[in-house]
């Protein structure tokens, strides 16, 4: 299975190493993936994901996993994260309906 970030969809990229003599050698730039446990405040549960270090910084910047998933586009998310995004939206809608009643 390819190394892919579950939140941003980052994949390995190919490129070249260039020596001082300008020799070209193929190489792979792999994303810096970390296995992390993030907490969903709306669902009150922990989620274990394989995300890039860049995505982890973005999650913290946006205010947590729930805020990141709501703002993220579904096509860049993994199927697990897409389901998590739907669950969060459903739980928020139920909470809003409950508080309005």
């Amino acid at each position: 299975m390819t190394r892919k970030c579950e939140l941003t969809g980052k994949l390995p990229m190919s490129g070249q190493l260039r020596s001082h003599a300008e020799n070209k050698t193929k190489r792979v730039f792999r994303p810096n993936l970390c296995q992390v446990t993030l907490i969903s405040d709306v669902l009150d549960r922990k989620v274990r994901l394989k995300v890039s270090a860049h995505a982890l910084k973005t999650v913290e910047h946006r205010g947590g996993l729930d805020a990141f998933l709501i703002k993220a586009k579904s096509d860049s998310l993994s199927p697990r994260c897409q389901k998590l995004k739907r669950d969060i939206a459903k739980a928020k809608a139920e909470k809003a309906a409950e508080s309005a009643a």
Side-chain angles (χ1 to χ4, degrees):
M1 186 172 177
T2 184
R3 294 175 55 86
K4 182 177 180 181
C5 175
E6 291 190 76
L7 293 178
T8 59
K10 277 191 176 196
L11 290 166
M13 296 176 66
S14 62
Q16 296 170 339
L17 283 173
R18 300 300 294 253
S19 70
H20 184 70
E22 294 294 327
N23 297 332
K24 291 188 259 187
T25 308
K26 284 284 192 181
R27 64 154 293 179
V28 177
F29 296 94
R30 294 185 180 90
N32 182 13
L33 294 182
C34 311
Q35 189 82 24
V36 294
T37 303
L38 298 171
I39 299 170
S40 172
D41 297 327
V42 176
L43 300 176
D44 291 328
R45 67 175 173 171
K46 297 177 185 177
V47 182
R48 193 159 173 87
L49 298 170
K50 190 183 281 191
V51 299
S52 65
H54 182 267
L56 191 56
K57 285 175 69 175
T58 307
V59 167
E60 290 178 14
H61 177 74
R62 288 196 184 161
L65 180 65
D66 300 335
F68 179 89
L69 287 174
I70 288 170
K71 202 168 184 182
K73 294 180 180 173
S74 293
D75 59 328
S76 67
L77 298 173
S78 70
R80 270 182 56 202
C81 291
Q82 289 176 4
K83 182 179 181 335
L84 194 62
K85 180 177 180 174
R86 288 191 302 268
D87 292 346
I88 289 170
K90 187 188 290 186
K92 274 196 169 191
E94 288 174 3
K95 221 177 240 187
E98 189 176 288
S99 63

